[in-house]
Every structure is written in C-alpha cells, then in structure tokens.
Amino acid sequence: MQIQQKQTKATKLENLFLRSLCLLLFLFSAAASAAPDWENEQVLHLNTELPRATFVPFATVEQALQNNFTNSPFYFSLEGDWKFNWVPKPELRPTNFFEANFDDAAWTNIVV
C-alpha cells in the first residue's frame, strides 16, 4: 500500500511538472508570435525585392557614352528637404501618413 501511495505521489508530481511545462511552452510561443516584426528574429525581409546591380538607363547611346547618369531623363535624385517625424516608440508613429490630406506641418525638415 505504501509503495502504491509513493508511486501515486510521484505520478502526480510528474503530471504537475508536465502540465506546467506545457503551459510555459504555450505562453512563450504565444508571446513570441505576438511580437512585432521588428522584434521577431525570424523575420528577415518584408516586402523586399531581390537584390540587383544599380543602373540608370539612358535615352540615347551618346548619353550612355558620356557616363553621366544625372543627364539621363530617367534619373531622379532624392536629394533635398524631407519631412521627418521622430517618435520614442514605434507604436506612437502616425499610421495614416501616406494619405493625401495628412497634415505634416509639425514635422521637422531634414536635408538629404
């Protein structure tokens, strides 16, 4: 009878341990899947194109032989003044900044 009670206690402890372990694994997996993409080490690329060499097409062979890509009609420089808005936490960022009627007057201008 005593041996059976010891085995029952040991079985109960094993059951408790296994249930606790399963609960912890479930909670950790749920927490990992709820993490934003920038905190998830499993996310390497989102909405990216395959890498390729940089090139600028030219309208004529003569322009290409001059090898001055700024003279190409297909070249567009992104240099200039850009609007910039810094927030201390990503979740505080404006999520509708891309809308045409978005007011960015309070944003800072930076030179790029």
Side-chain angles (χ1 to χ4, degrees), residues 83-98:
K83 292 287 191 176
F84 182 77
N85 180 48
W86 183 85
V87 291
K89 296 180 181 179
E91 57 269 10
L92 298 176
R93 74 197 185 285
T95 55
N96 62 337
F97 68 91
F98 56 87

Side-chain angles (χ1 to χ4, degrees), residues 1-107:
M1 184 77 167
Q2 262 185 335
I3 295 175
Q4 189 176 13
Q5 285 178 345
K6 285 183 181 178
Q7 286 178 345
T8 305
K9 286 181 182 178
T11 305
K12 286 181 181 178
L13 284 175
E14 287 175 3
N15 263 347
L16 180 63
F17 176 74
L18 287 174
R19 288 181 185 191
S20 300
L21 183 62
C22 288
L23 178 65
L24 285 174
L25 287 174
F26 173 75
L27 291 175
F28 283 132
S29 67
S33 65
D37 290 337
W38 58 86
E39 292 180 0
N40 185 351
E41 67 272 1
Q42 299 301 315
V43 176
L44 297 178
H45 305 281
L46 279 179
N47 301 325
T48 59
E49 294 183 5
L50 293 173
R52 63 175 178 83
T54 302
F55 66 92
V56 176
F58 292 93
T60 65
V61 174
E62 291 77 23
Q63 286 178 342
L65 291 174
Q66 291 174 2
N67 200 24
N68 185 357
F69 59 88
T70 60
N71 289 337
S72 171
F74 307 109
Y75 173 78
F76 183 78
S77 174
L78 298 177
E79 293 179 7
D81 292 336
W82 284 46
K83 292 287 191 176
F84 182 77
N85 180 48
W86 183 85
V87 291
K89 296 180 181 179
E91 57 269 10
L92 298 176
R93 74 197 185 285
T95 55
N96 62 337
F97 68 91
F98 56 87
E99 294 176 358
N101 60 350
F102 181 78
D103 183 19
D104 62 358
W107 288 22

